[in-house]
Amino acid sequence: DYYKYIESDKWRRKREARLKIDRHTCQTCGNTEQLEVHHKHYDTLGKEDVDEDLITHAESVTKQSRA
């Protein structure tokens, strides 16, 4: 279950690792506040490669992409 996984320690560790890789900076706009780590796809959900499958975005970028 996606929501259960997102609340897990395993996801938190991967999220923190991706934020560190991206130097706590949005990879689209350069913002350093209100960051979110997103899956580029869900094919590897639960088995993500932190380097290949995840990306850091600012909340504002996420909202724009969903509009």
Side-chain angles (χ1 to χ4, degrees):
D1 177 55
Y2 172 81
Y3 295 103
K4 185 176 180 180
Y5 175 62
I6 293 301
E7 295 296 322
S8 72
D9 288 336
K10 183 178 180 180
W11 170 249
R12 285 186 187 107
R13 286 189 300 272
K14 288 184 179 191
R15 181 184 182 280
E16 287 302 318
R18 186 69 230 187
L19 286 168
K20 186 175 181 180
I21 290 167
D22 290 336
R23 296 186 174 130
H24 288 79
T25 303
C26 175
Q27 297 304 289
T28 301
C29 72
N31 196 344
T32 58
E33 296 181 15
Q34 297 181 322
L35 299 174
E36 301 174 341
V37 174
H38 288 273
H39 292 84
K40 294 179 181 178
H41 57 81
Y42 293 97
D43 298 336
T44 56
L45 184 65
K47 298 176 259 174
E48 303 91 350
D49 180 305
V50 174
D51 293 317
E52 299 295 324
D53 300 329
L54 303 174
I55 190 164
T56 302
H57 285 304
E59 185 179 288
S60 60
V61 171
T62 303
K63 286 180 181 177
Q64 285 176 342
S65 69
R66 292 183 179 162

